[in-house]
Amino acid sequence: MVVTSQRVVNSVYRALPLLELRRAGWQVELDAEGTAMASGQLRGFDVVHVFRYHERETRRALRALREAGTAIVWDNDDDFGHIPGSDRIHEQVAEVLRLAHVVTTTSSALAEQYRERGAAEVRVVENYLPDYYAAERPPRGDGLTIGWTAAAEHRADLRALGLRETL
């Protein structure tokens, strides 16, 4: 079971490796709205892969899954620890890290942070997109077009890096 949200742009591509397992013949279910946690629909799976969720109902569901013998993989490619005012998030993530059997992330720096916060097993899985995401787009004129898709946790990055001024 893959628990993710289609409303969070980077959660979709983090589920792609598991969806490739489906193409190879494995049984892989996708909870594209992240509702299976609240409804208790995660029982009966050998492995549950959770992208980023760390809220109270997630932790409650993961505790129950762990007690039932289900393997838990928790995946996150963002550093929640450096978001201003993130003490509560930091505590929630630390509990999830202890509940997960394996944690996956995108960089060795994040992997080390997760180990320091209590993750027993951390693996780095870099971001890659299938070829169909790289379709050619016609140029938009003589200028340079720069696109940046970022969620709310990157507001501090925007300010700290002075991206508006730099660009």
Side-chain angles (χ1 to χ4, degrees):
M1 168 63 84
V2 181
V3 180
T4 187
S5 172
Q6 290 182 330
R7 290 173 279 155
V8 179
V9 67
N10 57 346
S11 70
V12 176
Y13 70 80
R14 294 298 292 163
L16 289 174
L18 297 164
L19 297 179
E20 288 299 314
L21 288 174
R22 180 192 286 169
R23 284 185 33 178
W26 291 77
Q27 180 184 350
V28 176
E29 301 293 328
L30 176 64
D31 176 25
E33 293 304 319
T35 57
M37 290 271 195
S39 62
Q41 296 174 353
L42 298 178
R43 288 193 166 88
F45 289 94
D46 297 317
V47 179
V48 173
H49 180 275
V50 179
F51 176 75
R52 189 183 284 181
Y53 291 108
H54 53 82
E55 294 76 17
R56 181 175 26 160
E57 76 180 21
T58 298
R59 296 189 318 274
R60 181 178 20 234
L62 294 181
R63 282 191 295 271
L65 288 170
R66 188 165 176 104
E67 289 173 12
T70 301
I72 299 166
V73 177
W74 188 75
D75 180 67
N76 186 20
D77 61 348
D78 285 311
D79 181 2
F80 287 152
H82 289 91
I83 300 172
S86 64
D87 292 342
R88 189 182 95 254
I89 294 172
H90 185 55
E91 291 172 15
Q92 293 171 354
V93 168
E95 182 179 353
V96 171
L97 292 172
R98 290 188 302 271
L99 288 168
H101 294 89
V102 176
V103 173
T104 56
T105 191
T106 54
S107 74
S108 56
L110 284 174
E112 187 56 35
Q113 285 181 30
Y114 292 149
R115 286 183 194 101
E116 289 172 2
R117 294 176 186 164
E121 181 72 27
V122 184
R123 301 290 175 100
V124 174
V125 179
E126 295 179 10
N127 288 330
Y128 292 98
L129 292 175
D131 291 340
Y132 55 82
Y133 274 89
E136 284 191 43
R137 293 177 177 86
R140 294 184 169 180
D142 295 337
L144 175 66
T145 302
I146 298 173
W148 183 37
T149 302
E153 69 267 14
H154 293 289
R155 285 185 189 137
D157 299 333
L158 184 67
R159 287 187 299 276
L161 296 173
L163 292 178
R164 285 193 175 109
E165 297 79 10
T166 300
L167 295 175

